[in-house]
């Protein structure tokens, strides 16, 4: 990374709002929908802006570009985790009783309607902030390792979350036990990729040498089969 001055909070917010407005012209339907929903009402925009400003404040307060890049990677990981539940429901088209059971697991003290509205709003704001963080990381902070390892981590976390949710209300005891036995393996691989994301200079040789979170062939094929079954069941 080039040794440059730290980026101010005002610049981070300006680039972020430009990113949201630019997403309205995106050919990616997911990016367009997220931006459209966040900009749909003044209340939705103000709530996103307030939350995103807090994230960018943490980045700006680092005051050194190198540590700002690290703060931005930490923020992006939190956003991946925060939007995972609605991503899971949307991607797997979870409906009916299964959807209610999943929501109740993560919101045990709230009614279903209230919880689903809150989760959807949270997802939109976090997905929008993640879009902005990706742009800021690659174009403004110029972190060359930001995008690819982060995408690997996001994909792996989605698989982990998919598998975890599949064990919450199992229909087959044998398959459920097999899925639960794979969770620690996948969690270990998540931790490996988290380390690579947060330590890009030390981790990049491992990525360049073909390091893959699916190094065990038999376990990998089993994991892919179980994940597919979990999606089909949902």
């Amino acid at each position: 990374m080039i040794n440059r001055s730290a980026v101010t909070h005002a610049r981070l917010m300006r680039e972020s709002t430009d990113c949201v407005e630019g997403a309205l012209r995106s050919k990616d339907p997911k990016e367009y929908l997220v931006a459209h929903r966040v900009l749909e009402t003044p209340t939705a925009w103000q709530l996103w802006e307030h939350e995103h400003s807090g994230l960018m404040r943490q980045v700006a307060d680092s005051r050194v570009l190198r540590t700002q890049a690290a703060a931005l990677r930490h923020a992006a990981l939190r956003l991946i985790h925060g939007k995972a539940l609605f991503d899971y429901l949307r991607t797997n088209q979870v409906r009916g009783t299964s959807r209610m059971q999943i929501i109740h697991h993560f919101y045990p003290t709230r009614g279903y309607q209230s919880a689903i509205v809150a989760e959807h709003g949270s997802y939109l704001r976090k997905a929008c902030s993640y879009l902005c963080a990706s742009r800021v990381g690659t174009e403004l902070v110029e972190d060359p390792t930001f995008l690819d390892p982060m995408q690997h981590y996001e994909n792996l976390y989605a698989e982990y979350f998919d598998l975890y949710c599949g064990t919450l209300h199992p229909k087959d005891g044998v398959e459920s036990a097999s899925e639960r036995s794979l969770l620690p393996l996948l969690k270990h691989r998540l931790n490996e990729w988290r380390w690579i994301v947060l330590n890009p200079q030390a981790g990049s040789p491992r990525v360049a040498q073909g390091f893959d979170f699916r190094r065990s062939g038999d376990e990998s094929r089993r994991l892919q089969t179980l994940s597919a079954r979990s999606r089909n069941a949902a």
Side-chain angles (χ1 to χ4, degrees):
M1 187 183 304
I2 299 173
N3 185 19
R4 296 184 291 114
S5 300
V7 184
T8 65
H9 179 262
R11 179 77 186 282
L12 289 167
M13 288 301 297
R14 186 165 62 252
E15 291 291 332
S16 294
T17 53
D18 286 348
C19 178
V20 178
E21 291 173 0
L24 288 175
R25 300 183 295 274
S26 175
K27 295 181 180 180
D28 185 324
K30 183 178 177 181
E31 289 185 4
Y32 169 81
L33 182 60
V34 166
H36 176 72
R37 290 293 178 85
V38 167
L39 288 164
E40 198 169 26
T41 66
T43 300
W45 171 256
Q46 290 167 9
L47 188 53
W48 172 80
E49 193 174 35
H50 174 74
E51 292 184 1
H52 190 72
S53 178
L55 285 175
M56 294 300 100
R57 175 64 63 191
Q58 294 175 20
V59 175
D61 285 350
S62 296
R63 301 186 182 281
V64 177
L65 192 64
R66 177 172 51 82
T67 55
Q68 283 187 328
L72 194 60
R73 288 192 292 269
H74 276 284
L77 289 174
R78 293 197 301 272
L79 292 169
I80 287 172
H81 297 167
K83 67 188 185 72
L85 173 55
F86 203 86
D87 259 335
Y88 167 78
L89 297 174
R90 179 183 54 82
T91 302
N92 294 287
Q93 299 183 355
V94 182
R95 298 286 185 268
T97 301
S98 297
R99 189 184 184 99
M100 294 180 68
Q101 290 174 331
I102 293 294
I103 290 295
H104 178 70
H105 175 79
F106 290 98
Y107 291 89
T109 63
R110 298 184 70 166
Y112 173 74
Q113 291 296 335
S114 172
I116 200 68
V117 169
E119 180 59 31
H120 182 240
S122 176
Y123 164 77
L124 289 174
R125 294 190 299 275
K126 287 179 169 56
C128 189
S129 286
Y130 183 65
L131 179 64
C132 296
S134 298
R135 170 171 168 169
V136 168
T138 55
E139 297 183 13
L140 185 59
V141 178
E142 296 185 9
D143 182 352
T145 63
F146 187 91
L147 198 57
D148 188 54
M150 194 74 71
Q151 185 64 58
H152 276 290
Y153 183 89
E154 184 178 12
N155 292 340
L156 185 58
Y157 190 80
E159 290 193 40
Y160 172 81
F161 199 88
D162 193 348
L163 196 62
Y164 173 78
C165 288
T167 67
L168 296 178
H169 302 283
K171 297 180 180 179
D172 186 316
V174 175
E175 289 297 337
S176 178
S178 298
E179 290 173 350
R180 283 195 298 269
S181 70
L182 286 173
L183 283 175
L185 169 67
L186 203 50
K187 185 63 177 292
H188 174 69
R189 291 174 179 175
L190 267 174
N191 288 335
E192 289 181 319
W193 271 103
R194 178 183 173 84
W195 183 87
I196 288 173
V197 166
L198 296 178
N199 299 274
Q201 290 186 336
S204 56
R206 299 173 70 178
V207 176
Q209 291 168 8
F211 175 81
D212 186 18
F213 52 73
R214 286 181 171 157
R215 287 170 300 183
S216 173
D218 293 338
E219 289 174 333
S220 298
R221 284 189 291 273
R222 180 63 171 158
L223 177 58
Q224 288 176 312
T225 300
L226 289 173
S227 294
R229 290 179 180 175
S230 175
R231 287 191 294 270
N232 292 336

